[in-house]
Amino acid sequence: MDNQMFCYQCEQTAGGKGCVKIGVCGKDPEVAALQDLLVYLLKGIGFYGQKALEKGKKIDEETHKFVMDAMFATLTNVNFDAERFVEYIKKAAEVKENLKELAGDIEASIPDAASYKIPSTKEEMINDAKKVGIMADEDLDQDIRSLRELLIYGLKGMAAYAHHAYVLGKTDETVNNFFYKGLAATLNDNLTIDDLFNLNMELGQVNFKCMELLDSANTGAYGHPEPTEVLITKKKGPFIIISGHDLKDLKELLEQTEGKGINIYTHGEMLPAHAYPELKKYPHLVGNYGGAWQDQQDEFDNIPGAILMTTNCLQKPRDSYKDRIFTTSIVGWPDVAHIEEVNGKKDFTPLIEKALELGGWQEDEEEKKILVGFGHNTVLSLSDKIIEAVKKGDIKHFFLIGGCDGARPGRNYYTEFAEKTPKDTIILTLACGKYRFNKKDFGKIGEFPRLLDVGQCNDAYSAIKIAVALAEAFECDVNELPLSIILSWYEQKAVCILLTLLSLNIKNIYLGPTLPAFISPNVLQVLVDKFNIKPTSNAEADMKEILG
């Protein structure tokens, strides 16, 4: 292909087919090429890693961490810094050689991705990348390509969750080892469509374990989320906005800003942090600022405060705030200040100094608040009352409306759908898709708020636990519950969550606002036939179909 790049891993890919000149996310062809080459090397790592595991060898923790972090770096809206990808590629080559040595003699034929040797310059790497990208083999069966890419994107999503658990000291061998199995499978031309489909379902099961691991890491470190009111208006004084997903970074920032007269605001997927006892105990964690990730260029425009991006959800910074936005961990943008971890700690002094220098907002806004903190621990503690309300007919239906938000037209569907839910129904929501409606007043059913914020995207684990508990209480299958799942997707974490739901045989999911470009017509038909996945249409029609 003569395209400058090819990427179709996110929902907003150009024309619903693929970005070929520059990524809609802001990724340029150079970074796209380096990401393609890194994924190619990771496949080679997967090959040798899986061979080593088949011989009963144990892979070291440092290698596991590199694999999850390198996969995470290629996820949408995470790292746009070409030079850092060059370093990832060099490190990947070393890791591959180490695993090759660990695997020992291999009788099977060695795939090109495993035997590939990296060149010495970035320019040569970019040139090599043209031979290994998604569409490099134009003759590859489109269903095989579709299922391989589905597996890769699911692994990228799971890598993000594994990373967040790892930084809090939680790992799992099943999760770690599946990266090698999944990556190796994408090089195996002997695998059939059924084989690859089953591997995607296995990934869904492993990701459920990974989300459980992360839930345990978060609640173990910060306590179980509890219902909490969160300020969504401005307070006078210097401030820092923290975005992304990483609760450990927030905890470190709160510790380092304590007593310095700086207010801390969460942004985007950090909103659920306010519900954790060990985080909300800091009085200078004052509120949540703005909406979902795609609004940040407008919301951060020339603000008199500093910004910290902890994981994905980064957009190209405007010049009006490029001097006051900082990245850390996996995140990167060229010429944006980056805060590295040194000996397990991060020094946020430059961020703090910038916030104090800028001075912050000059006056308080009239206070407005929203309610968060309905994780599985809270909701299940109320299960007897919820079950009684269902049996009495006070609660007629549950809707899980959530997932990733995005800028593509059509996402108002989720606002309209939430607004059309009857007053005798409960809305569970999670991830940044909630910003489409989470500041609206849906009222109550008895003592229950009609809108229950379950948390971040990984807190799909909480939603699943709630659904399973209700099914057990009513002695029925989850699919027989008065529960409808309305999902919005944008990037690869949504992909692995969808695979988890499907692997649990959860059916009748409404998915939108568009279907993934990387899903071939035949693979889509299998998903429709097996799980009755439905594309969203319009809010009124879908509501009528659900409730009759």
Side-chain angles (χ1 to χ4, degrees), residues 354-403:
K354 178 60 72 171
L356 292 170
E357 172 195 326
L358 290 166
W361 286 303
Q362 297 303 303
E363 57 185 31
D364 292 340
E365 280 186 333
E366 182 181 350
E367 286 194 356
K368 293 180 182 177
K369 295 182 178 182
I370 58 175
L371 191 60
V372 303
F374 289 91
H376 61 86
N377 193 62
T378 293
V379 175
L380 294 182
S381 71
L382 301 170
S383 59
D384 289 347
K385 294 180 179 179
I386 293 172
I387 291 163
E388 184 183 355
V390 172
K391 288 180 176 178
K392 287 171 60 178
D394 294 338
I395 298 175
K396 293 285 201 321
H397 204 88
F398 296 88
F399 294 95
L400 174 60
I401 311 172

Side-chain angles (χ1 to χ4, degrees), residues 157-266:
M158 188 170 77
Y161 297 146
H163 165 91
H164 289 307
Y166 181 89
V167 299
L168 291 174
K170 294 282 188 177
T171 63
D172 181 271
E173 282 297 296
T174 301
V175 173
N176 291 338
N177 290 343
F178 189 81
F179 285 107
Y180 308 99
K181 182 177 182 178
L183 287 163
T186 65
L187 298 175
N188 189 345
D189 292 332
N190 295 320
L191 295 181
T192 65
I193 287 172
D194 284 344
D195 293 332
L196 288 167
F197 180 85
N198 291 335
L199 271 167
N200 275 286
M201 292 301 101
E202 185 179 351
L203 169 57
Q205 290 285 318
V206 176
N207 184 60
F208 184 66
K209 182 181 284 287
C210 187
M211 290 194 297
E212 182 180 32
L213 187 73
L214 179 52
D215 178 81
S216 172
N218 285 337
T219 57
Y222 310 118
H224 281 283
E226 52 194 31
T228 304
E229 284 194 324
V230 181
L231 184 75
I232 57 171
T233 46
K234 302 171 188 173
K235 288 183 72 70
K236 181 180 178 180
F239 64 90
I240 294 170
I241 295 167
I242 181 167
S243 191
H245 301 71
D246 200 294
L247 300 182
K248 185 183 178 187
D249 284 335
L250 173 58
K251 180 69 159 60
E252 285 196 49
L253 181 63
L254 289 168
E255 290 171 346
Q256 292 182 37
T257 50
E258 198 167 17
K260 290 186 167 67
I262 297 173
N263 292 324
I264 306 299
Y265 294 84
T266 58

